[in-house]
Amino acid sequence: MAEEEGWLAKLRGGAAIPRWFWVISISRRLLLAFCTLLSLMAGLGAYAISEMHQLERQTHLLFDHPFTVIDALDRVQSEILAMQREIIDLADETDFGRLMEHREEIELLEATVHASLDVLRQRYLGDPAEIEALAQALERWHPLWQEIIRLRVAGEVAAAQTLSREKGDAQVAQLQRRLAVLNAYSSSRARDAMSEVKHIMGEAHVTVFVLMVLAVLFGLVVAMAIITSIRSPLGHLTHAANRVAAGDLEHQVQVVSRDELGQLGRVFNTMVQAINRQTREIEQKNAENESLLLNILPAPVAQRLKRGEETIADHFDEVTVLFADLVGFTAMSAEKSAPEMVSLLNTLFSAFDDAAEKHGVEKIKTIGDAYMAVGGIPEPAQDHVERIARMALDMRRVVQEMSAKTGGGFDLRIGIDCGPVMAGVIGKRKFAYDTWGDTVNMAARLESH
């Protein structure tokens, strides 16, 4: 039982199916199964027909020989008994006309007996000498009833009756003994033939039943093989589709066949690879867009914009605004080339950006050589003044170091003010996050003075 269950498990999993079965198409598998089952049924039908022919031959033999012989022997026996009765009646008959009628009846019965003997000579399967002995015994009976007629015509009634009863009875007993021997032999042959018929029928029943069971079992095996060869790839495909639907774009279908389902699995893998590649490209583009958007807008504001807010405007009760401007930078630009000035300005503002990120300050914008930042937006902070103050000190240090390094002779002028502001996103094609209010204006005036 355990071995059978293990074999069935292998069949369900596809391990027990030959490799070539996976290569051919599903339509060819079905055609192969149909042709195989058709061949089995044709073989079963041919065997059944062969057994039926053998049974028919045996039946014909049974009816052509033992049954026919037994029937002929029964006719001979009944005709002999009828002849005996006619001979007895012949000996007792007083009317001459009736005497001739008995004679004709005896002659008719005698002819019928010889006809039955001809049948026995053709169909009897035993020793032919036994049939000839029976025929000779019947020939010896012919002079007997002829003598009885002669005696009866001569008027010797007692002699005729004595001859009829004594020799007639003895002759009948002899014939019946020979008939019994023939009948016993024919009955034995009939029983043997019937036994052979029963044996053939029994073997035919058992063989046909076994072949039918084998055909059914083979059909079940073929059906399970076909179902497994279809269900297994479909299971792999369904599992892969669920994994891909769950977001696992690296998963591939396990292709185990070269049929239509195998082709579908390979197409599915190609499709998933294309989706994975396109998804990575989209994610890369989204990351680039995200990075670009974060370079323009604060992260919380960018998230609100991506969520679909069309108008982003906030009021902050207490923030710190910083305006910074490079003193002497414009005069220095007349002595240096544009790339040199842009490189220098980029170095400075990059350092300012690092300081803003370091102290948690939001850079708002740059205008020429001016730099604006706000502490406490877009998310409020209790220490926004300290953040801006530390950033301002770092900015002055950076400018002093860069001025001494380049010999430019420029300095930094900074204006700081605290108070309420409004902040929001403006523009549709080029976004900008900006602030407004008296606090901003005051910081700008402080910087300029």
Side-chain angles (χ1 to χ4, degrees), residues 16 21 165 187 209 229 239 258 282 336 366 391 409 445:
F21 198 78
R165 287 177 171 81
S187 298
F209 177 75
S229 66
H239 176 69
R258 298 181 184 177
I282 293 173
K336 296 182 178 293
T366 60
M391 178 179 175
R445 291 191 183 93

Side-chain angles (χ1 to χ4, degrees), residues 328-350:
F329 191 82
T330 302
M332 186 177 62
S333 62
E335 301 175 357
K336 296 182 178 293
S337 64
E340 291 177 334
M341 294 304 297
V342 171
S343 176
L344 177 59
L345 194 60
N346 181 61
T347 301
L348 289 172
F349 282 1
S350 296

Side-chain angles (χ1 to χ4, degrees), residues 69-79 183:
V69 169
I70 291 173
D71 183 62
L73 289 173
D74 290 340
R75 288 200 304 272
V76 169
Q77 185 172 7
S78 62
E79 289 160 358
N183 201 355

Side-chain angles (χ1 to χ4, degrees), residues 412-432:
L412 185 67
R413 190 169 55 224
I414 298 175
I416 299 174
D417 189 27
C418 298
V421 296
M422 289 183 295
V425 178
I426 58 174
K428 290 186 177 180
R429 296 186 178 179
K430 292 184 178 180
F431 295 114

Side-chain angles (χ1 to χ4, degrees), residues 157-174:
V157 177
Q161 292 176 346
T162 301
L163 182 62
S164 171
R165 287 177 171 81
E166 291 180 359
K167 291 189 177 181
D169 291 345
Q171 189 67 23
V172 169
Q174 183 182 5

Side-chain angles (χ1 to χ4, degrees), residues 360-382:
V361 174
E362 187 65 37
K363 172 188 175 181
I364 301 301
K365 59 185 175 181
T366 60
I367 303 174
D369 56 1
Y371 189 97
M372 177 182 176
V374 180
I377 64 169
E379 300 204 357
Q382 296 295 326

